[in-house]
Amino acid sequence: MLVNKNIEIISKNSFHWINPLQDTDIFPKFMFKENNLEYFANQKEELFIVEDNFDKEFETNALRKELIFVIGVYSLKEIKELCRKKNKGSVLIIIEPNPTFFSHTLANKQMDILDRDDVYLFVGSELSNISEYLQGLLLNLKITGLVKNITFYLTAYYRKYDLELTKKCIQLIRQSTRTTVISLGNDIVDNLQGFKQNLENLPYMFDSIDPANIKGRNRDKPAFIISAGPSLNKNINLLKKVKSKGLIIAVDTIVERLLMEGIVPDFVCTVERIDKVYEYFYKDKTIPKEVTLVAPPVIDSRILKEFKGKFMLPLREGVSEYTWFGKLLEASEAQYIFMGLSCAHVAFGLAQHMECSPIVLVGQDLAYGNDNDQTHASGTSYDSVEIDKKKNSFLDDTTEGYFGGSVKSTHMWLAFKNWFEKQINQDNLFVINATEGGAKINYTVQMPLENVISEYCKDIKFNIIDYGKYDLDKNNVIGKLVKEKDYFRAVREIAMKMFSILENVEISKNAVNKSKNKLIEHLNEIDKLKHEIIIHPLLMHNFQSTLIKSMWDENNMEQIYSYDHLVRMKNLNLKFLAPLIVGLSEMEDYIEKTIGNLENLKVKK
């Protein structure tokens, strides 16, 4: 049967996302076929014809690699024509927001166009799933390298009958691709600064609480994640009722305000490594000893040096840099925590790590306050900081509000929101959004904070946390660092040799083909070096922005081997190799200094 053949084709690619039909997925509804024309009905029971004709006004550049989002899977002739016209390096991602079209196509058309490695399919009427789907798919470097060359193709039905739904899909796609660009990390200098700070804090790991000791320690106990959104002003006083009846996990921004209100959190969470975090939230601040600090090892070392209470430095789940650190420390899975992009994500990941339930979000606005100007609750260090709203206005966006309608947000806040939604959905977590304002966070139950407290904050006995430290062998860590330093030196020497050879390659205007062959020969060697970076977790983390920017630049060029094109190819690869060489040299220096620090470290038993 045709449907079985199509299912077999779709099943070959694990990156397709097909949501099953829901009871509400009824329209557009197939009615009948007449004279090779197929008739569907909408919710008003009006009949219309769905055509399969390529849009003659659409232009794709066959000389440039693109990421083409196709809205609609019904029109397979259009999609096949698009595949024929596109560059062979371009990728198609088909988004079908009407599952009934997919169901009809599955049963009645040959879907062999999906039997390729450059075509991906998403089907689902729950549009929020588009963001989650793309977050995973865009981690594929082949696709990530094309996100600067995005174009949209609307199949016949969507360009004729449903532009509103199409606009919603495009908005979500744009937001998701922005999130991907943000998540790629900063430039090489910033990444190396993070690597340096991780190494500087390595001696503190010997005094850190072992995250494995708190894994699952408060299963099915409520945890309240307190953020500093504007809505917190109206319900912060209620948190006094939570103490001893629920865990209070606060972000660094709001701790000072909580203490002013007489609320002592159980944990304070930090994620950013910049100087201002120390200066705003920890310097000269009196944080009670009973508060435990939770942060990745990348934070400003002054925080750890001056913090009065206990601290825990878990590794960041899903971050390649910490995959490398994990191997260095011989860490177990239980020593990793999901941390996302913000300190609220760290707090959420901590609650998830302890298997708390429900996880209650408070002050998690992810949007401006009612005056479309306020960014934080009062009583924080941000009260004294002037924020240039006009300067940042180009970063503004809108999203669905907690109470419906539309609220003003930013690209960054929406990236935070997408992270929450992905985490909640994929792990089927019970999360209550008691923010009572700001943006709606999908997959959460919305409930006033007062009701949450009365229903879930009973007389609960929380498990005593085991504050045992990491079990680390100093000499073993030093030995591994020595081997890594030697490896990075070897890679640097290879890169230096390639740079010297490529720099001396002569490109002649009169012998373009000869120049092309010689250049391509050397570029193939550089591709091998790039592959070495991709498979090494620390190199990929530190140099991914350089690597991906190089891919963006190359993919933005039309593939015509003219003299100018060859010169630009040469320069782009020299531009890639130069910071790689400098960066590897700095990594060697950082490791050498860390080895010295560890050799002088007296480990407390």
Side-chain angles (χ1 to χ4, degrees):
M1 289 179 63
L2 191 58
V3 66
N4 292 335
K5 179 63 176 176
N6 286 335
I7 290 173
E8 181 183 341
I9 290 171
I10 292 170
S11 300
K12 290 180 182 179
N13 191 336
S14 61
F15 288 103
H16 295 321
W17 176 308
I18 314 295
N19 279 329
L21 276 171
Q22 305 295 320
D23 292 338
T24 54
D25 294 328
I26 301 173
F27 300 99
K29 183 179 181 180
F30 175 71
M31 301 304 291
F32 59 88
K33 184 174 182 179
E34 184 177 274
N35 297 327
N36 290 323
L37 296 176
E38 295 193 325
Y39 290 78
F40 288 75
N42 59 24
Q43 290 177 318
K44 296 179 181 179
E45 298 185 356
E46 298 169 335
L47 287 179
F48 58 89
I49 299 170
V50 179
E51 298 175 312
D52 192 353
N53 300 321
F54 190 80
D55 185 359
K56 295 179 180 179
E57 295 182 5
F58 179 82
E59 294 183 4
T60 184
N61 190 344
L63 298 176
R64 194 178 72 153
K65 297 177 183 179
E66 296 175 314
L67 183 58
I68 306 172
F69 283 94
V70 180
I71 311 299
V73 74
Y74 170 88
S75 301
L76 292 180
K77 290 181 182 177
E78 293 185 67
I79 296 171
K80 289 177 181 178
E81 180 68 7
L82 191 58
C83 285
R84 189 184 68 81
K85 290 176 176 289
K86 75 176 182 66
N87 181 284
K88 65 179 181 180
S90 294
V91 171
L92 263 65
I93 301 178
I94 304 169
I95 304 293
E96 180 52 80
N98 282 307
T100 54
F101 277 141
F102 169 73
S103 180
H104 178 75
T105 305
L106 186 72
N108 296 281
K109 299 185 180 185
Q110 289 187 345
M111 303 183 75
D112 51 312
I113 194 65
L114 297 177
D115 195 11
R116 322 169 36 129
D117 61 3
D118 60 353
V119 177
Y120 301 86
L121 173 65
F122 168 89
V123 177
S125 55
E126 189 67 47
L127 296 188
S128 59
N129 285 335
I130 293 176
S131 298
E132 184 179 344
Y133 172 63
L134 292 179
Q135 282 179 36
L137 188 62
L138 292 173
L139 293 177
N140 184 327
L141 273 183
K142 179 179 74 172
I143 299 175
T144 306
L146 299 173
V147 294
K148 289 297 184 74
N149 298 343
I150 289 178
T151 188
F152 293 92
Y153 179 83
L154 279 56
T155 55
Y157 169 80
Y158 289 98
R159 63 179 184 262
K160 185 174 182 180
Y161 297 114
D162 206 339
L163 286 177
E164 280 304 310
L165 181 57
T166 301
K167 288 177 183 177
K168 290 179 182 177
C169 291
I170 291 174
Q171 182 184 27
L172 283 168
I173 291 166
R174 291 195 186 282
Q175 288 175 354
S176 297
T177 50
R178 288 192 200 106
T179 300
T180 298
V181 172
I182 291 170
S183 68
L184 292 176
N186 301 307
D187 61 30
I188 185 174
V189 174
D190 196 69
N191 287 336
L192 288 173
Q193 179 62 28
F195 177 63
K196 178 184 178 183
Q197 289 184 209
N198 272 300
L199 288 180
E200 286 177 348
N201 287 331
L202 191 53
Y204 287 104
M205 298 292 286
F206 291 82
D207 284 327
S208 165
I209 298 168
D210 186 345
N213 294 337
I214 70 166
K215 175 74 173 174
R217 290 292 294 175
N218 283 297
R219 182 176 299 161
D220 297 330
K221 313 285 176 63
F224 291 74
I225 311 302
I226 316 303
S227 299
S231 296
L232 187 64
N233 287 326
K234 63 186 176 185
N235 59 13
I236 190 171
N237 60 305
L238 296 172
L239 293 172
K240 294 177 182 179
K241 300 178 182 179
V242 174
K243 194 62 180 176
S244 300
K245 296 183 179 181
L247 286 177
I248 298 179
I249 309 175
V251 303
D252 48 23
T253 324
I254 202 62
V255 168
E256 189 174 13
R257 172 70 190 280
L258 289 173
L259 294 174
M260 288 169 56
E261 298 282 343
I263 302 163
V264 180
D266 299 284
F267 299 92
V268 55
C269 296
T270 287
V271 71
E272 293 191 74
R273 62 175 178 267
I274 58 176
D275 295 345
K276 289 181 180 179
V277 171
Y278 165 73
E279 293 163 3
Y280 285 0
F281 310 129
Y282 293 97
K283 184 180 180 181
D284 301 326
K285 297 292 191 293
T286 304
I287 299 178
K289 285 187 176 182
E290 56 264 40
V291 179
T292 300
L293 169 67
V294 180
V298 74
I299 61 172
D300 192 316
S301 60
R302 292 174 294 179
I303 298 174
L304 296 170
K305 183 179 180 181
E306 299 174 15
F307 195 77
K308 303 301 182 185
K310 294 180 173 62
F311 59 83
M312 181 170 68
L313 303 176
L315 304 179
R316 296 183 69 162
E317 179 69 43
V319 176
S320 55
E321 179 182 28
Y322 288 101
T323 300
W324 181 82
F325 268 88
K327 291 180 180 178
L328 183 71
L329 303 175
E330 297 183 355
S332 67
E333 287 185 12
Q335 290 165 328
Y336 284 83
I337 288 179
F338 289 106
M339 296 191 190
L341 304 168
S342 74
C343 46
H345 292 162
V346 179
F348 188 94
L350 174 62
Q352 186 179 0
H353 190 72
M354 291 189 288
E355 299 181 19
C356 296
S357 185
I359 299 175
V360 185
L361 304 179
V362 185
Q364 193 58 245
D365 287 61
L366 301 173
Y368 290 101
N370 292 331
D371 58 0
N372 280 335
D373 191 55
Q374 189 180 13
T375 60
H376 291 81
S378 60
T380 76
S381 296
Y382 286 120
D383 289 350
S384 58
V385 177
E386 281 292 328
I387 299 175
D388 188 346
K389 302 293 193 312
K390 292 182 180 178
K391 181 179 178 182
N392 295 319
S393 61
F394 73 95
L395 296 174
D396 288 344
D397 208 330
T398 58
T399 189
E400 184 179 359
Y402 186 95
F403 296 112
S406 182
V407 293
K408 184 180 175 185
S409 184
T410 70
H411 296 169
M412 180 61 78
W413 288 339
L414 292 180
F416 295 168
K417 174 178 176 289
N418 288 341
W419 185 91
F420 278 120
E421 291 171 344
K422 179 181 178 181
Q423 204 68 17
I424 295 166
N425 187 39
Q426 74 179 11
D427 292 332
N428 196 28
L429 302 175
F430 177 28
V431 179
I432 298 174
N433 188 357
T435 297
E436 300 181 61
K440 178 182 178 182
I441 300 176
N442 292 305
Y443 311 116
T444 66
V445 176
Q446 294 189 174
M447 187 183 299
L449 180 57
E450 189 168 14
N451 293 358
V452 176
I453 294 171
S454 63
E455 185 170 344
Y456 294 100
C457 286
K458 309 298 182 183
D459 290 326
I460 297 172
K461 183 178 180 181
F462 285 89
N463 294 322
I464 298 173
I465 292 175
D466 181 350
Y467 287 113
K469 299 175 183 179
Y470 277 103
D471 182 17
L472 301 176
D473 184 325
K474 187 179 79 168
N475 292 329
N476 187 36
V477 173
I478 291 173
K480 291 189 178 203
L481 283 172
V482 170
K483 289 181 179 179
E484 288 298 289
K485 187 188 72 168
D486 291 342
Y487 169 74
F488 295 141
R489 184 182 66 248
V491 175
R492 175 173 57 83
E493 290 172 351
I494 292 171
M496 290 172 64
K497 182 179 179 181
M498 288 182 176
F499 185 92
S500 178
I501 293 172
L502 185 61
E503 192 176 33
N504 292 309
V505 170
E506 293 186 8
I507 300 175
S508 170
K509 281 188 175 181
N510 298 322
V512 170
N513 285 333
K514 185 177 179 181
S515 299
K516 180 187 75 171
N517 295 334
K518 185 181 293 185
L519 180 62
I520 288 176
E521 178 184 341
H522 295 302
L523 292 182
N524 287 337
E525 291 301 310
I526 293 176
D527 284 342
K528 293 178 183 177
L529 179 62
K530 289 180 179 179
H531 178 71
E532 188 72 19
I533 292 171
I534 291 169
I535 64 175
H536 190 284
L538 183 60
L539 292 181
M540 184 57 191
H541 178 85
N542 284 347
F543 299 107
Q544 70 175 356
S545 58
T546 304
L547 176 64
I548 292 171
K549 285 174 184 175
S550 176
M551 293 173 65
W552 287 344
D553 288 338
E554 289 181 20
N555 289 335
N556 199 39
M557 296 168 57
E558 292 189 344
Q559 295 177 312
I560 302 175
Y561 288 105
S562 63
Y563 170 79
D564 290 340
H565 178 90
L566 295 178
V567 170
R568 191 177 174 194
M569 289 269 291
K570 173 182 173 179
N571 291 335
L572 283 177
N573 281 276
L574 288 172
K575 184 180 175 183
F576 164 74
L577 288 170
L580 175 65
I581 293 166
V582 174
L584 285 165
S585 179
E586 289 189 24
M587 289 172 65
E588 293 168 55
D589 291 342
Y590 296 155
I591 292 176
E592 182 66 32
K593 184 177 180 180
T594 303
I595 290 171
N597 291 337
L598 288 176
E599 287 175 339
N600 295 322
L601 177 69
K602 294 181 180 179
V603 179
K604 301 174 185 177
K605 297 295 183 182

